[in-house]
Amino acid sequence: MKVSVWKMMGAVLALTGSATIANAQFGPPGGMDMGPLEVGVVELTLQDVPRVVTSPGRAVAFQEVAVRPRVGGVIEEVLYTPDQLLQVGDPLFRIDDSAYVAAEATARANVAMAEANLAVTQSAYDRAEQLAGRGYTEAEVEAARASLAEAKATLDAAQAALDYAQIELSWTTVKSPIAGRADVATVSVGDLVTAGQADALTTIVQADPIYVDTVEASARILSVRKGIAEGALKQNDALEATLMLENEEVFRGVGKLVTAGNTVSTTTGTVTIRFKFDNPDHVVIPGMFVRGEVVIGTMQAFLVPQRAATRGNSGKLTAYIVGEDGTAQQVTLEDDGSYENAWIVRSGLSEGDRLIVDGLSSLRPGQAVTPVAAIIDDNGIARNADTPAVED
């Protein structure tokens, strides 16, 4: 009886082991192969892609002047209104001119005296020259000539002193040296100012046109130059910039390149590039932070939707394409910046490749896939090509 029981248990164990082996070899019904994975794909074609560079920048006044007095005295009147649009020569301040009026009168009197002395000296010289050898010796004629030259020099010096006295008198009215808008005055009536003082009376800023200084990494500049030299990038004849303001509003008009900068910052590794914009409404204020966008040129490249590629730790982009055998193949891409919602790719892909843009979450290299034509909308979202767009 005991032997038969052990035999029965052995038979059961043998059957159980066989079932376990069978299950390990073929897998349970729930783990059976479900077939190829359906994925959305877009067919890639080479196209002319704008090479757009976006850089941070800051607005800089076209001209900015700190106005200081050129003569000393007491401020008698402030002749402008803050934020008033000024033209060149418009009066700003009037300084007490009594001392300069007196100096100008003294200088004018000295000129009159020098003119009178010159007339007498000229007559003496003319008489000496006419009577040379007949009552006037050669030495006396030379002395008369020297006196005449001295009288002329005295008159010239007196005239120069008068001119400078008149200039100083004119400086008692402080005028705007540029066209622009004046800030609030730092002095008031009754304040004493001195010539060339350190503190400015006011500041005038010309903001139409206005400069925008953008900064660009030297490494990117080298990349652009290399692309142009190799013929991969066709440069535009003229570089123009569009401007994005701090409130994400696009500033109307385009900026003209002024200078591309000649030095690289030793601290940031960037180059300053300056553009000039017309700013008639003074929307852009000096000191404002902005973003400049420049279309450098066009290049032949593939546009890879950003949702379809992943950047690894090495900095390289990876994506999936459908191989000839119907499986997902992972490829490494070299990008050259971005355009709208896509990466600009010049190597790693071929004309006609089917790029997988949807169904990437569970995709693995070598996995069998069923490609379905898809499109990428303006928001960078993939959808079936046969599915109509949903309108807002």
Side-chain angles (χ1 to χ4, degrees), residues 237-251:
D237 293 335
L239 293 182
E240 297 179 338
T242 56
L243 211 58
M244 182 75 72
L245 304 179
E246 292 175 311
N247 60 354
E248 301 301 321
E249 178 184 349
V250 178
F251 180 68

Side-chain angles (χ1 to χ4, degrees), residues 201-358:
L201 304 181
T202 188
T203 301
I204 302 175
V205 175
Q206 182 179 356
D208 179 30
I210 195 166
Y211 289 131
V212 172
D213 288 349
T214 62
V215 291
E216 186 56 69
S218 56
R220 180 182 286 184
I221 294 176
L222 290 176
S223 174
V224 170
R225 289 178 176 176
K226 181 180 179 181
I228 295 173
E230 294 176 348
L233 177 62
K234 183 180 179 182
Q235 185 179 6
N236 290 340
D237 293 335
L239 293 182
E240 297 179 338
T242 56
L243 211 58
M244 182 75 72
L245 304 179
E246 292 175 311
N247 60 354
E248 301 301 321
E249 178 184 349
V250 178
F251 180 68
R252 63 179 182 83
V254 295
K256 305 295 183 181
L257 177 66
V258 176
T259 176
N262 299 312
T263 59
V264 178
S265 170
T266 57
T267 56
T268 62
T270 58
V271 176
T272 299
I273 302 174
R274 171 167 286 189
F275 293 88
K276 184 173 72 172
F277 289 81
D278 289 332
N279 189 32
D281 298 327
H282 294 80
V283 174
V284 183
I285 304 171
M288 181 182 290
F289 287 101
V290 294
R291 292 200 311 273
E293 187 175 273
V294 182
V295 179
I296 298 175
T298 57
M299 61 195 322
Q300 283 277 304
F302 298 103
L303 286 178
V304 174
Q306 292 182 347
R307 62 173 288 120
T310 304
R311 193 177 296 278
N313 294 332
S314 64
K316 297 288 186 180
L317 289 175
T318 57
Y320 285 96
I321 62 173
V322 179
E324 295 181 359
D325 59 354
T327 62
Q329 297 180 359
Q330 191 175 46
V331 291
T332 301
L333 313 176
E334 292 187 8
D335 70 290
D336 201 359
S338 62
Y339 177 67
E340 295 182 346
N341 292 321
W343 299 111
I344 302 172
V345 175
R346 292 197 293 121
S347 64
L349 296 170
S350 301
E351 184 84 14
D353 279 348
R354 291 177 294 174
L355 178 73
I356 299 176
V357 297
D358 197 23

Side-chain angles (χ1 to χ4, degrees), residues 70-77 79 93-106 164-175 190-193:
R70 303 178 73 174
V71 293
V74 175
I75 298 292
E76 286 193 334
E77 189 176 2
L79 303 170
F93 303 91
R94 190 171 71 246
I95 299 173
D96 178 23
D97 62 357
S98 55
Y100 300 97
V101 170
E104 191 265 349
T106 300
Y164 186 69
Q166 291 173 336
I167 291 173
E168 282 195 315
L169 179 60
S170 69
W171 286 345
T172 58
T173 299
V174 182
K175 300 178 180 179
D191 285 345
L192 178 64
V193 297

Side-chain angles (χ1 to χ4, degrees), residues 104-166:
E104 191 265 349
T106 300
R108 190 180 299 279
N110 291 335
V111 169
M113 291 174 59
E115 288 175 343
N117 183 55
L118 177 61
V120 173
T121 307
Q122 182 71 52
S123 299
Y125 170 72
D126 293 341
R127 184 168 56 255
E129 191 176 35
Q130 292 174 359
L131 299 175
R134 294 179 297 165
Y136 280 85
T137 64
E138 187 64 27
E140 290 174 328
V141 173
E142 289 299 327
R145 183 181 292 112
S147 296
L148 176 61
E150 183 180 354
K152 289 180 178 180
T154 301
L155 176 59
D156 290 341
Q159 185 62 55
L162 174 61
D163 292 342
Y164 186 69
Q166 291 173 336

